[in-house]
Amino acid sequence: MERKKMSIIFSCAYFFLVLGLAFPMFIFTPSYAEESSQFKPGFHLKITGGLSQSTIGDMNTHLSTMHDFYARQFGNLASGEIKALNSAREDVELEFMWDLSRKFRLGLGTSIPTRYRKESAWQSPDPQNPQMRYEITVEPEIKAWRPVKLSVYYSICHGEAIDMRAYTGVSFYSTKMSEDKTFRTYYVDGTMHEDGESLMVDRATRAGWHGGLSLEYGVVKNLSIVADIEGCLMRNSSMKGSELYYYNYPSEGAILETGALYFVGSSETYYDLMIGEPIHLDAIGQEPPGYVERKAQLDLSGFSFRLGLRLRLF
């Protein structure tokens, strides 16, 4: 809930920032007038950079509920935290643009690869035997790249120095996800028991949608300052991969599962990501309260705000 609130605040702040940039430009520049000269199509290079806020999806739900579960079980005895991935990231784009007419412009862009990564560690003594100690480490990672972004721009307001365009289009995303979890128990006699899970989700490419507003202010001939505010929609609910489960490392061996990625769990424990057909029943063969079992979802939908330059090459 807190992350959702922050995302809304983030988006509203950027929206009003763009309006703040636009207002003085409308005040101090001449109003729109039709150009009498013959239209000359141009070829442009646009480079922008800023921040974006993404939803992340089931990975963060899994991490947050896992932390909450152990906090309920061990209370003030525990130290450390199982942390959700940071949903804010840097966003840098390179785009080539072609003028189709006075009103329409076509853009073909790409972005730098992005990595969401957060290492967490949690420890606690046993409530019944303080000489025993539990330790959990979690290392989730999401790698995302938007190699192709195709946009169509439409000029909604044009003056001598400013140009505001609405745009929309299709983006292609390449994503990969992983998570390593380790559970250790340290006994009174000095021995240690270690179990673990190593999840590796295959790289997948999916199409998504984007749309936004682009505000340009001409500084000199052929060079403009650009401010873009953009929303995007990209979800993947058909991920596959492999997961290695190992027990009492290194003596008792390991099990490798391959197949679809599921989101499984209940409100009594926590929600987890796992490969293969889930089986999650209580001692009498019933599903626990709040039980969920479905295909896991990666959600990189969100908002971004970027500033940069547009250079007309010819």
Side-chain angles (χ1 to χ4, degrees):
M1 187 67 183
E2 186 65 26
R3 292 194 306 273
K4 184 176 181 181
K5 185 186 296 184
M6 290 300 296
S7 179
I8 294 173
I9 294 173
F10 179 91
S11 304
C12 290
Y14 283 152
F15 175 74
F16 287 112
L17 179 58
V18 171
L19 289 182
L21 291 171
F23 183 74
M25 295 178 186
F26 281 108
I27 295 297
F28 297 110
T29 56
S31 59
Y32 174 83
E34 289 291 337
E35 299 178 18
S36 58
S37 60
Q38 185 180 3
F39 167 70
K40 295 179 181 180
F43 181 69
H44 314 262
L45 172 64
K46 185 170 79 169
I47 301 175
T48 54
L51 292 174
S52 70
Q53 182 88 11
S54 300
T55 306
I56 302 298
D58 289 338
M59 174 65 84
N60 269 357
T61 303
H62 151 60
L63 295 168
S64 298
T65 58
M66 186 177 183
H67 170 79
D68 293 343
F69 170 71
Y70 285 105
R72 292 194 305 267
Q73 295 295 308
F74 293 89
N76 294 331
L77 293 173
S79 61
E81 181 184 1
I82 299 174
K83 302 175 183 178
L85 293 170
N86 189 352
S87 57
R89 63 180 175 86
E90 295 179 354
D91 188 12
V92 178
E93 287 193 0
L94 173 70
E95 186 173 15
F96 292 99
M97 310 171 78
W98 295 267
D99 293 328
L100 303 179
S101 68
R102 294 189 190 278
K103 289 287 189 179
F104 287 95
R105 179 178 289 167
L106 183 66
L108 180 62
T110 188
S111 64
I112 63 170
T114 301
R115 186 173 75 161
Y116 304 84
R117 180 178 173 85
K118 183 80 70 174
E119 296 184 12
S120 301
W122 175 95
Q123 309 87 27
S124 177
D126 187 284
Q128 307 302 322
N129 185 356
Q131 293 181 302
M132 284 181 57
R133 184 166 57 90
Y134 303 107
E135 179 181 280
I136 301 173
T137 58
V138 184
E139 298 179 17
E141 182 178 55
I142 297 174
K143 295 180 180 179
W145 181 36
R146 184 159 61 173
V148 178
K149 177 185 177 183
L150 182 63
S151 305
V152 176
Y153 292 78
Y154 178 76
S155 179
I156 56 178
C157 185
H158 178 71
E160 289 187 3
I162 64 168
D163 189 11
M164 178 176 285
R165 293 176 181 260
Y167 66 94
T168 187
V170 177
S171 300
F172 293 90
Y173 292 81
S174 176
T175 61
K176 191 174 183 179
M177 188 163 63
S178 65
E179 184 188 36
D180 292 322
K181 296 196 292 281
T182 304
F183 303 86
R184 298 187 181 95
T185 303
Y186 296 90
Y187 295 98
V188 178
D189 61 4
T191 59
M192 185 267 289
H193 178 99
E194 178 179 319
D195 297 334
E197 302 171 17
S198 182
L199 171 69
M200 183 65 68
V201 179
D202 298 337
R203 182 172 294 280
T205 301
R206 293 291 184 275
W209 167 88
H210 66 267
L213 286 175
S214 181
L215 180 65
E216 299 183 2
Y217 182 78
V219 181
V220 295
K221 185 179 180 181
N222 297 331
L223 182 65
S224 300
I225 296 174
V226 181
D228 289 349
I229 183 168
E230 181 180 306
C232 68
L233 178 65
M234 201 299 291
R235 295 173 181 152
N236 184 3
S237 300
S238 57
M239 294 175 283
K240 297 181 179 180
S242 62
E243 187 165 18
L244 181 69
Y245 299 88
Y246 58 89
Y247 306 94
N248 196 17
Y249 179 83
S251 60
E252 293 188 14
I255 297 175
L256 179 65
E257 295 280 353
T258 59
L261 180 66
Y262 285 87
F263 178 75
V264 180
S266 77
S267 56
E268 286 190 343
T269 55
Y270 61 88
Y271 298 100
D272 204 356
L273 301 176
M274 63 175 293
I275 295 291
E277 292 291 340
I279 301 176
H280 196 100
L281 303 177
D282 63 15
I284 59 173
Q286 300 295 320
E287 292 182 353
Y291 180 72
V292 173
E293 176 187 316
R294 58 170 171 77
K295 294 289 185 69
Q297 183 179 87
L298 173 63
D299 190 350
L300 296 182
S301 305
F303 294 89
S304 63
F305 176 73
R306 299 182 304 275
L307 291 172
L309 297 172
R310 177 183 64 82
L311 175 65
R312 178 169 178 147
L313 300 177
F314 57 82

